[in-house]
Amino acid sequence: MDNALVLIIEDEPEIAEILEAYFIREGFRTISAGDGVIGLAHHATLKPDLVILDVKLPGQDGYEVLAAIRRRGDTPVIMVTALAEDLDKLQALRIGADDYVVKPFNPLEVVARAKAVLRRTSRRQAGNVIRVGSLTIDPEAHSAQVDSAKGVVPLELTRTEFRLLSHMASAPNRVFERSELVDACLPEGDALNRTVDSHLSNLRRKLSAAGAEGLLTGVRGVGYKVAAPHG
């Protein structure tokens, strides 16, 4: 984590300067951009370890920038915004944000959340490839696939979807409560139970399309599990 590069995409210079100062004080390197175009250019050339991304940007908004970053890969992203509505948070998390901070904020909290996100995203799952029925997950390669009747089908998963699937597949047939999944797989802070439902609904749809219908199941009033086949 020491000397990690943080890209701050923020159109208010005072906020960007404050964040830079706090990150530098904690041993990070920083680069800033005042709009999404410059931010994406920095992201492409500098390959930052973490992005702090404002939602309200001139031209491309933060959601569009986040979507572009996700198309390129899985760089951790923390959204920073004055929008505190649940729907705004859900939109950011659905696109693939790793955390969400609402203005006005304490810069120390942003740095602390950044450290937590970096710890979580850099942690490699111990052990071998995870296999449950037709599903194969390679934590180190960050890949998942289904061996279906049509052949091997790669799963195109967001970072959060991959975390959720890997976490549950590591203990097949165990029922995970929503609160457990929030703590283990979703950003720190005020993630909502219905956020988990949204991610898992997308996961179910992708698994079903790949030929693994019924692998991920819900247990009414309790939670969710990855169901290992019997026999």
Side-chain angles (χ1 to χ4, degrees):
M1 194 180 301
D2 289 342
N3 207 38
L5 177 61
V6 177
L7 168 60
I8 300 168
I9 307 177
E10 167 63 64
D11 66 328
E12 297 186 50
E14 299 85 357
I15 293 177
E17 289 171 10
I18 290 171
L19 287 172
E20 283 195 281
Y22 275 82
F23 273 106
I24 290 170
R25 192 174 71 179
E26 293 296 315
F28 292 86
R29 295 175 294 133
T30 65
I31 184 72
S32 64
D35 61 52
V37 173
I38 296 174
L40 287 172
H42 285 334
H43 179 265
T45 58
L46 300 177
K47 309 296 183 187
D49 299 289
L50 176 77
V51 177
I52 305 294
L53 176 60
D54 188 25
V55 170
K56 294 284 189 176
L57 293 171
Q60 287 180 303
D61 66 22
Y63 298 127
E64 294 174 299
V65 175
L66 174 60
I69 290 173
R70 282 291 161 265
R71 286 193 293 271
R72 295 176 178 178
D74 58 0
T75 307
V77 176
I78 297 177
M79 303 294 283
V80 179
T81 177
L83 303 174
E85 296 297 323
D86 288 346
L87 288 177
D88 297 310
K89 298 177 185 180
L90 287 169
Q91 182 176 354
L93 294 171
R94 283 172 182 151
I95 297 172
D98 292 88
D99 205 347
Y100 193 105
V101 181
V102 178
K103 298 176 183 176
F105 55 78
N106 183 334
L108 285 173
E109 179 189 358
V110 179
V111 174
R113 290 195 180 207
K115 289 179 178 180
V117 166
L118 286 170
R119 281 195 301 270
R120 187 176 65 236
T121 56
S122 65
R123 189 183 302 129
R124 297 293 187 185
Q125 293 190 17
N128 298 321
V129 168
I130 302 168
R131 291 186 176 88
V132 182
S134 61
L135 174 68
T136 301
I137 301 172
D138 186 338
E140 291 197 7
H142 203 273
S143 65
Q145 62 188 38
V146 171
D147 187 4
S148 73
K150 300 177 182 179
V152 175
V153 181
L155 293 170
E156 299 294 332
L157 305 178
T158 67
R159 177 190 290 275
T160 300
E161 290 166 357
F162 186 85
R163 283 199 298 261
L164 287 165
L165 185 60
S166 299
H167 187 69
M168 288 187 291
S170 65
N173 291 327
R174 179 191 163 189
V175 178
F176 291 88
E177 296 182 5
R178 289 177 178 83
S179 58
E180 289 183 84
L181 295 174
V182 168
D183 290 341
C185 304
L186 271 73
E188 288 75 9
D190 51 354
L192 306 169
N193 282 347
R194 66 183 179 186
T195 306
V196 176
D197 292 334
S198 175
H199 288 302
L200 292 174
S201 175
N202 290 335
L203 255 179
R204 274 174 154 173
R205 176 177 51 78
K206 292 178 181 181
L207 287 166
S208 178
E213 186 173 2
L215 184 71
L216 174 60
T217 63
V219 179
R220 180 182 287 266
V222 182
Y224 297 88
K225 68 177 181 178
V226 168
H230 297 290

